[in-house]
């Protein structure tokens, strides 16, 4: 667990590059919390598990960093 929230955060499986550019998730029965490990102070996104699951099936959009 981390922070004072009691949430248990897990790093993305795509986080292995070592540059620290990771997404982390803390699932609960009623919410899914997502944050950027390089910008913890910028807050987090909180969605329902249904919304999180639906977002995983969306096509990925290429960005200048990923192309």
């Amino acid at each position: 667990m981390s922070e004072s929230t009691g949430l248990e955060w897990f790093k993305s499986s795509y986080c292995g590059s070592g540059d620290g550019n990771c997404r982390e998730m803390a699932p609960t029965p009623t919410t899914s919390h997502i944050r950027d490990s390089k910008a913890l102070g910028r807050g987090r996104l909180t969605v329902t598990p249904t919304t999180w699951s639906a977002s995983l099936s969306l096509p990925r959009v290429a960005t200048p960093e990923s192309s």
Side-chain angles (χ1 to χ4, degrees):
M1 288 189 208
S2 62
E3 303 178 353
S4 60
T5 62
L7 295 172
E8 189 170 355
W9 293 92
F10 299 92
K11 289 192 183 235
S12 167
S13 60
Y14 293 98
C15 187
S17 66
D19 65 358
N21 190 14
C22 300
R23 301 300 175 263
E24 298 176 329
M25 181 186 175
T28 72
T30 58
T31 56
S32 294
H33 306 270
I34 303 101
R35 69 183 183 184
D36 183 340
S37 63
K38 287 178 90 172
L40 297 179
R42 295 184 71 189
R44 62 178 173 247
L45 175 66
T46 302
V47 297
T48 65
T50 302
T51 301
W52 174 248
S53 294
S55 72
L56 295 177
S57 65
L58 294 172
R60 183 171 179 214
V61 176
T63 62
E65 292 177 356
S66 67
S67 5

